[in-house]
Amino acid sequence: MTIENSYAQNKLVSKNYEVETLKTDIRAFIDESVKNSEVKVIPKKIIQPPKKIIPVQKKKKKIPEGGC
């Protein structure tokens, strides 16, 4: 949090306090890189491999055994 608290004359005083100062302007850097990166990217076509067909064999029905 960027607040400096102090206690003076029976009152709590809160002041804004800057923890870290940046030497570079980040927003200007981002804007500069966006201007330089205006190259159109051509998407590559994705060729899907053919689907594999796996044959499933049906189970043979059992003949009922004997009886009267």
Side-chain angles (χ1 to χ4, degrees), residues 20-34:
E20 182 179 328
T21 56
L22 298 174
K23 295 179 182 178
T24 58
D25 187 14
I26 296 173
R27 189 69 198 160
F29 177 76
I30 293 171
D31 292 337
E32 183 77 21
S33 65
V34 168

Side-chain angles (χ1 to χ4, degrees), residues 43-59:
K44 294 182 179 179
K45 293 182 181 178
I46 299 173
I47 300 172
Q48 294 181 349
K51 293 183 179 179
K52 293 181 180 178
I53 300 173
I54 302 172
V56 178
Q57 295 180 354
K58 294 183 180 180
K59 293 183 179 178

